[in-house]
Amino acid sequence: ITGANTLKDSIIITSLLPGTDQIVKFRPFTPIINGNSVVKVNIKHGDENPDNDSALYNTNVNPSYFAYTDTTNNYIGSIGFFDAIYLLQKFRVTNANSRITEVKLKMVNGSPASVGQIIKGVILDGSGVMMAKSEPYKIKASDLGNFVSLKITDPVPYYPLTNNSYFYVGGEFSEPVGDEESFGDLENQDEDPPRPGGFFLGANGITPIGSNVFPFEFGGKYGIEAQIITMPSTDVGIASQGNLFDQYYNTTTVPQTGRVFNNALSGTANTTVIRKITPGSYSSSVSVSILANSSANVTFTNFTFVSGTAYTVKDSIVFAGDVNPVNNVMTGTYTPRIAKDLVFMYQKSEDRDSLLRAILADGRYANNFDSININYTGSLRPWKVFFELTKSFRLVLPRVRDSLKAFIDNSTSLNKKTLVVFGDRTDGYDPIQNAFSNPADTIFFRQYLKAKYVNDNWVTNIPASSRKFKGAGFFDGITQDSVGDPMFSTLSLIKPTNGSSAAFIPKSVTGSGVDSAIAVSFAGANYNTFYMTNRFSDLRANNSSPLDGPITVYTKIIDWIQSINTGVKVLDLTVLIEGFYKPGPNSMVRDTVRVYLRNTSSPFAIVDSAKGYLSPAGQASFLFNNALNGVNYYIEIKHRNGIETWSKTGHNFTSNHMAYDFTTAANKSFGDNLKLSGSRWVIFGGDPNQDGTVDLTDIILTYNDATNFVSGYVKTDVNGDNFVDLSDILIAYNNSSQFVGKITPNSSPELLSKKGISLSQIQEVSRLPVEIAAETKIDNEVYDMFKNEKPKQQTVPDHMIMVKKTGYKMLKRNSLISKRK
């Protein structure tokens, strides 16, 4: 070692075996304070590769910092991780008057994923018990490649060290947000071989870790430094500014709190603390007394904010005789917002995107939701419905778990809250399965989520389900597949407990699923919970349905929440519209229908109505506030150009739920008034004037719009392609030729007799559509050539139909297409 002080030492090694290494200990070296030294190590041996026979390091000893990294600033790598974690270095102190005041962390250069992450400086004693922390700090782009200084403030800014004792110092790193990949926040310098007993991890979701500190010697020196000073005689300062960053509230006028400290060895500090918030003129001064070697909370006057505004909060304190005024001012950023009714907390972008798509597609909370990521630092209490989206193979983080428990504990019958959790790992919650389970996790799982672990692989245990699942109870009628990540088979099976019931079960399971569920729901007097054992974005639709799996499950959960909270009745309806439905892909153009519930006795009065947006599978949930359980109602369907259609008979709600499918048979409708399209039964189309029959008026309306090339969302667009053309005319014409009309308890047979039409005449006409269809067959080549050409003047229809009581007669002139040609 050369420099201000020098050292030369040599060791003879006599038994270094092939393929092994050995630690070599030289004589101790006393460096000069604030001076540089060069450490050079050589090995003398007649080997064939002398390139690795020497190593050279620069070192600098500073009395103000503990560190393992040298002064060359040659950081060549980073430490990556998947979870919230502590990265720690272990040191020994020899001066009993030393105090740790600051932790410095070297942020990775060129790591944009680090921006926005939350970090803290932490100090642990030699037993691994958490002793002090800094305020949370959000990494900025300008921090990358530089040291971030984190002042120790909680509980006080000076952590006392005991003579000849060990301690850990490092950083608390929050959960990575974005994708499933790890990323490195902390830079490191190369060290090979790594020194033993110097570097450690603290895991278990960044909790007070105790014995959960274990070596992590990966071959690099962490970019961690701890500032050491001698205990000052008099020092007061700002310890905490309370909640900063993004915060949500139920009102725009909110309390303001902070914390200050007094680091004197004795006596009480009487001082004034001032908080100012800009933009605006907020200022609050508070007199406070702080005992020696302690901290005190400060309550300022309430602050009224404008939702979404970014504020700067500045706290300052003045005390006569203060020897360290550096910590007398603290500044932070603060963006308060008014909370909506629903919120989801995410970590991975695919979960965020899936739930966002479901919320927008369902529509009920489309303008009434917030999103926060896993590193949100505020209270969860302002929201009413909370979706927690846990990433793959992870439990709910302990700090998030405790916040969710507080969210439920704050729920009352008058302000009822609902917690919805998706997560694919349940074994860690159960002490029977996992001897190392945290009691707090087990309580959360059993008492709050109302679930009990069965096994972690229902695909293997229930192979007949073939990864498919179905709804149970209120959730009946939903069938999905590919639950869980298709790359993995460890899909947990649970069972309801403490008052919950199965919500989703493997498809082949019979019964209520009390011993084999993959989701459970609980509707309590004061709160509701729903738990499903997979990630939200891993849900998949059934192979036979084009529905998006996450959207279907989300919609049903919202139905359930609204039903149990308000008593609303939910009708799960399946109905397809002719023209809109294509049998080939088994999919329908999405469109809106209105559903009426009617009494089953004359005059069949309307009890309630609801509007819904049918999915590509013709499915939607309709909510009714005036219906009753156990009372039969006719289900009436109205569509912008479909024939009004009623259910065959009356049906009732049970436990606020009813499911009805018009597509499985003709006799699902009153008067068997449905049309077979492929293998599904559909409502007749072609009635744009909504008079209950498809006739010449409908044909002329559709024809005139076709000749004028009308497009968009119009009633005469009978097939839903947003363009009125010959295909729409043919649907109306063919149904007109069959005398298609509504058949209801009010119209059959009275309406037929009023029109002078007998049932035998309708049956005679019903045999004619084949001939008509052949006569009006589209010449596709000519049609495609001229379908977008606008005629120079209005024309009369291609076909005119005269209906007589004894039959029908068709009058036809040369077609419009022929004239164009």
Side-chain angles (χ1 to χ4, degrees), residues 106 174 199 203 218 283 314 384 451 461 481 636 684 705 817:
K106 185 71 158 55
S174 62
F199 308 104
F218 71 104
S283 181
K314 181 179 180 180
K384 293 182 179 179
N461 284 275
D481 63 28
E636 176 192 356
F684 285 102
D705 281 355
I817 294 178

Side-chain angles (χ1 to χ4, degrees), residues 135-210:
E135 284 287 276
Y137 181 83
K138 184 178 289 188
I139 301 172
K140 303 185 296 291
S142 59
D143 294 325
L144 303 183
N146 300 310
F147 273 101
V148 170
S149 178
L150 304 169
K151 302 292 185 181
I152 298 300
T153 61
D154 183 13
V156 291
Y158 298 98
Y159 172 65
L161 300 171
T162 305
N163 192 32
N164 290 320
S165 64
Y166 286 94
F167 68 95
Y168 298 89
V169 64
E172 174 184 306
F173 294 85
S174 62
E175 284 277 338
V177 174
D179 57 27
E180 278 286 359
E181 299 301 320
S182 67
F183 67 89
D185 270 337
L186 191 66
E187 287 196 345
N188 66 283
Q189 292 178 341
D190 187 34
E191 184 174 57
D192 188 20
R195 74 188 67 200
F199 308 104
F200 293 80
L201 291 180
N204 196 26
I206 59 173
T207 59
I209 44 185

